[in-house]
Each structure stands twice: as structure tokens, then as C-alpha cells.
Amino acid sequence: MTIEDLTSHIEDIKKSLNTELEHVNQKELEKELKKFLEYGVPIEQAKKTIIKKFGGEIIFNNQSNAERTLISKLQPNDQNVNLLCRVITINPKEILVKGENRKIFYGILGDESGTIQFTAWNNIEIEKEDVIEISNAYTREWQGNIQLNFGDRVNIEKTDKNKLPPEAFKPKTVKVNELKSGVGSVDITAVILEIVEREVDVNGEKKKVFSGIIGDETGKSQFTSWFDFKLKKDLPYQITGGYVKSWKGIPQLTFDENSTVKKLNKDTISKDKIITKKIQIHELIEKKGAIDIKVEGTIIDIKEGSGIITRCTQCNRALKDNECTIHGKVEGKTDLRIKSIIDDETGAINTILNKEISEKLLKKTLKDCEKNSQDTMINEIIKKLFAQRVILKGNALSDDFGTTLIAKDADIINIDIKQKSETILQELEELQ
Ligand SMILES: [Zn+2]
């Protein structure tokens, strides 16, 4: 049993214990539970025994008649989740657990309120387009998104398609800036701005996939098509029945042979209306990332790892004490970067500025920087950039450390403070 699964059982045990028994800690319960499992005691029996031992009362059950939750209402760390939904995608995956191969399944489920990504840690017998009733699943947060998990206690049953309201099968009309994880099946009209074709291996079978960038007047987004719709760059299309998946925290539109793609007249959306949008940081954090956006804010911190760094010549990772975590002791090549935090009064995010942008903002080449010690360099970065107002352009992604903007360009905004304060003084005088 994975740690993931154990956690949900421990939550059950904790709920059944008296609040005065809060001193019984997580680690202790985990140890007890593992001990029982090692001796082959069935999980439900083990839990009941532990609860008795600590003087608790059993309040959990398998809740198969419990009320259904809508996908949009799910929160991280929900226990005993009961859903009525349809299977939008399902894929097997081999993973290595303690040196042993194990087959798990992952995919997307949907109901009338939205969609959610799921992982099944054991074998399950469901197929795409099945309508199912799930009880005793649980949720976790992964890369900033809520995920549904099927552990040992889950119960899944196929049911009648008519049980789900028709809205659950009907795509929702959205604009590009509304594409985010969980929005459900969508109907969208957008221009293909970039497209590349590549071949991938899906369960031993070669498959063509097409990915790139789509846009409309509200923004841009990544997409992946698992079917050859003969999409052409710079043309508008209506894509119906796609869904949003999060990849490395960035939401992207995914569609396949079950979706409908219609080529539209060239003038449906004018390409010059699709520009790089400036967005507020709180919006970026809520969306969990976006591509090709602009953010304006103040640099409120210069982070460790800024300045001159050495990278592995093979994998480009930053070296620590001249060693790469993968390739060991290597020669390495020098590079320059600035890691900082910017704040726009609505929120704060991490940013990474590469060599070219760092050189531009510091008005200094990497070669010039190398002449100084690392300490001198850091001081110079702080002196030149701390508290400066900047405008950054790039892609933002979310992980367990928060949202990070990988800048493709940056400029310092020169606000003439002296002139501004003089104007204010003048205005004040006029008021008197
Ligand atoms: Zn390396």
C-alpha cells in the first residue's frame, strides 16, 4: 500500500478518536497501522483495533449511500468522496514501487459541474465513456491542482448513462483565458498560432501528436491534439469537446478523435487582435500558470542562486560544489541568472531571468560579471534591481513551490520619482 493510501486511513482513525486524544500523533498511528498490515490483518479490522486501543469510537463506515459530491465542490484532502461521473479519458501506466513494476491508471472524469484528473493505484475495470458511481475516493493537491485518488477502499460501479444530467455531456463555450483545469468539456473558437508534430510511444504503439499554441482576443494557451485534424498555422478553428489538462502546472487544451474540429473562415478572428496580455499576479496564481503573458510588479527580493552559476555541460543543471546531481564531477560552463520575487500589490510570484535578460537589466555582459567575486555580483544585482518596478514577459507555471514566471523579456520601468513628488507637492499647495 502506498503512503498516499495510508494517509486516508489514518484520517479515518483520527476522526474516530476523541478530540482529547489529539496527542496521539500521526507518526504513532502510522507505525501501528503498518505493523498490523505487515502481519496481514485486513485494513478495516486493523483500523477498528487501533481505534479501540486508543479509546475512540468508530464513526466512519463505507458510506456507500452517502451523498454525491459535485466535482467543482472538491477540496484538497477530502476523504470518502462519492461521485457520479463519466470517464473522459483513462490510460494505464507502469510505475516502479520498491523495485517492483506496478500498473496504475490515470485520466480525467467529468460531471455537469466540471472535470478532475484521477489516479487509480490498483487495477480498475472502467472504460472511456462509462458512467460510474464512485465511493470512498480521496483527493490530494498535486502541482497546485486537486487530484482524485482511488486507493484500497474505493468502490466503483458502472451505472446507467441517464443518471447523469445531459449538461454533463454538453461542452461549455469558453474563451481562451477561461481555459483552466477542471472547467470540463469545452467549445472554443481560436487561431492556431504555432503547431509542431511529433511521434510518441503510447503503450508500445507509435502515435502522432500535434501541439502548439492557440489564441483569441482574450489570450493564448497551449494545446495538444491526439488526432490529425490537418490543423494549419494562422487559421481559426472551432474545437468542440476538448478538455483542459494541466501539464507542469500550466493549463492546456487537449482534444482527440472524440472531439469535433471545424475550420472557420480566415476573418472569424483577426490575428492582430491576439496580443500578449498583461495580467495581474493574483489572477496568474489562481489560474496556476499561463503562456505568453505580461506582468508588471516591483522586485521585492533577490533570491539565492542568483548571479554567476556553473551548469553541467551534459544536462544543463546548475552545479553544487562543482558537482551535478546526475553526472557527478564535471567541468561545467558559467552562466548568469537572476532569481527574484515580484509583487504587484495583488500578489507575489517567483521569477527567473536568464543570461540575456540579466545582462540587459544589469547593462553588463557575463564576461564583465565574471571579473567580480560572487559576493560583489550579488551586491550589484541588489543595488541595481531591488525595489525596481519591472515589466516581464514570459510563461508562468506552478509547482509545489508556488507560481514562477520564466521571463522571455524584461524591462525596468523608469518612474521619475522626483518629478512625481514635485507634482504632488504642487497639487497640495494649490489646495491650500
Ligand atoms: Zn548533469
Side-chain angles (χ1 to χ4, degrees):
M1 188 176 296
T2 60
I3 302 282
E4 281 277 282
D5 296 339
L6 268 191
T7 319
S8 88
H9 294 302
I10 286 171
E11 286 304 316
D12 276 349
I13 297 174
K14 277 175 35 194
K15 268 188 231 159
S16 298
L17 293 179
N18 208 309
T19 39
E20 285 146 46
L21 290 164
E22 267 177 356
H23 63 276
V24 183
N25 72 36
Q26 181 99 8
K27 283 258 141 33
E28 202 173 333
L29 291 176
E30 230 174 79
K31 221 174 101 189
E32 285 278 334
L33 191 58
K34 275 188 188 152
K35 200 174 72 192
F36 278 114
L37 296 177
E38 271 161 28
Y39 282 106
V41 178
I43 184 83
E44 296 304 322
Q45 190 57 44
K47 278 157 69 179
K48 283 175 189 164
T49 313
I50 292 170
I51 292 163
K52 263 194 199 153
K53 184 180 165 185
F54 289 103
E57 221 175 285
I58 296 151
I59 56 160
F60 65 87
N61 56 37
N62 284 338
Q63 293 190 351
S64 48
N65 298 321
E67 229 178 286
R68 159 188 189 217
T69 315
L70 285 176
I71 287 173
S72 63
K73 294 271 164 22
L74 292 173
Q75 295 293 324
N77 301 315
D78 279 348
Q79 308 294 327
N80 300 321
V81 172
N82 303 308
L83 298 173
L84 169 66
C85 54
R86 70 184 177 106
V87 183
I88 297 174
T89 64
I90 177 162
N91 296 290
K93 190 175 173 182
E94 296 268 341
I95 58 161
L96 219 59
V97 182
K98 289 177 191 155
E100 267 176 56
N101 260 332
R102 189 167 167 181
K103 197 179 191 182
I104 64 165
F105 294 84
Y106 66 98
I108 296 177
L109 301 173
D111 66 11
E112 67 271 33
S113 74
T115 50
I116 192 164
Q117 283 173 252
F118 75 91
T119 305
W121 300 96
N122 298 304
N123 199 24
I124 46 168
E125 310 237 310
I126 53 173
E127 282 169 30
K128 203 167 173 162
E129 289 310 320
D130 279 349
V131 170
I132 53 172
E133 273 175 318
I134 304 166
S135 49
N136 289 326
Y138 62 96
T139 60
R140 289 286 178 268
E141 197 169 331
W142 169 247
Q143 291 185 332
N145 287 299
I146 300 171
Q147 271 225 355
L148 190 69
N149 285 275
F150 302 156
D152 286 350
R153 299 171 52 233
V154 77
N155 187 42
I156 301 172
E157 265 166 47
K158 276 183 219 177
T159 185
D160 191 8
K161 280 195 166 43
N162 299 330
K163 273 199 176 177
L164 259 185
E167 303 96 88
F169 301 91
K170 217 177 123 197
K172 196 154 93 192
T173 306
V174 293
K175 291 284 182 193
V176 170
N177 70 346
E178 292 169 309
L179 291 173
K180 56 183 173 191
S181 235
V183 72
S185 176
V186 295
D187 181 347
I188 193 161
T189 297
V191 177
I192 305 284
L193 299 168
E194 278 173 37
I195 181 163
V196 287
E197 178 185 333
R198 69 200 150 92
E199 222 172 44
V200 293
D201 199 69
V202 182
N203 309 318
E205 232 179 275
K206 290 238 180 296
K207 217 173 166 182
K208 269 186 191 173
V209 335
F210 302 82
S211 54
I213 294 170
I214 52 163
D216 67 9
E217 69 283 3
T218 69
K220 297 178 192 174
S221 175
Q222 278 172 316
F223 78 88
T224 298
S225 171
W226 291 90
F227 183 78
D228 189 0
F229 287 105
K230 313 272 180 231
L231 298 171
K232 295 245 156 31
K233 191 173 178 283
D234 295 338
L235 288 183
Y237 292 87
Q238 182 183 10
I239 302 159
T240 313
Y243 43 88
V244 180
K245 243 176 116 163
S246 163
W247 187 79
K248 285 191 174 171
I250 302 179
Q252 62 164 281
L253 180 71
T254 307
F255 47 101
D256 57 22
E257 69 274 14
N258 294 320
S259 317
T260 316
V261 173
K262 207 163 87 190
K263 192 161 98 182
L264 302 174
N265 190 308
K266 218 175 164 22
D267 333 302
T268 316
I269 304 178
S270 152
K271 231 195 120 198
D272 10 294
K273 276 200 181 148
I274 307 166
I275 48 159
T276 305
K277 288 272 159 190
K278 185 166 153 188
I279 72 173
Q280 291 194 318
I281 289 178
H282 79 96
E283 196 187 327
L284 198 57
I285 296 169
E286 279 154 27
K287 279 178 77 155
K288 320 275 184 202
I291 61 149
D292 200 27
I293 38 97
K294 265 194 258 180
V295 160
E296 184 188 320
T298 306
I299 297 180
I300 57 163
D301 192 17
I302 304 291
K303 291 174 66 169
E304 215 179 293
S306 299
I308 304 272
I309 56 161
T310 316
R311 288 189 186 279
C312 174
T313 42
Q314 291 177 57
C315 69
N316 221 31
R317 281 185 177 80
L319 303 184
K320 254 193 183 155
D321 304 323
N322 296 318
E323 273 191 39
C324 168
T325 47
I326 305 293
H327 300 101
K329 266 213 178 334
V330 287
E331 261 307 291
K333 54 173 188 249
T334 49
D335 194 10
L336 175 68
R337 75 169 171 202
I338 298 167
K339 291 172 93 174
S340 71
I341 297 178
I342 70 159
D343 186 309
D344 75 346
E345 294 90 42
T346 74
I349 49 166
N350 302 311
T351 65
I352 300 175
L353 310 179
N354 66 15
K355 181 182 128 226
E356 284 69 34
I357 302 168
S358 302
E359 284 179 328
K360 178 178 158 186
L361 296 190
L362 296 171
K363 296 194 179 90
K364 230 173 161 180
T365 64
L366 169 63
K367 265 212 158 59
D368 288 330
C369 294
E370 274 183 286
K371 288 174 195 154
N372 300 323
S373 73
Q374 172 69 341
D375 283 350
T376 318
M377 234 7 264
I378 293 288
N379 283 332
E380 189 175 334
I381 292 171
I382 294 173
K383 215 173 130 195
K384 283 187 175 159
L385 298 182
F386 181 74
Q388 288 282 9
R389 192 84 181 164
V390 287
I391 187 144
L392 304 176
K393 216 175 119 175
N395 300 337
L397 52 94
S398 289
D399 59 18
D400 297 338
F401 304 102
T403 304
T404 303
L405 183 90
I406 314 287
K408 283 185 176 165
D409 198 11
D411 283 296
I412 293 174
I413 305 170
N414 282 314
I415 306 169
D416 196 331
I417 293 170
K418 194 165 167 272
Q419 206 212 315
K420 210 174 174 183
S421 58
E422 270 168 12
T423 326
I424 292 170
L425 275 178
Q426 203 181 344
E427 278 171 11
L428 280 174
E429 275 165 19
E430 279 166 13
L431 279 173
Q432 280 170 352

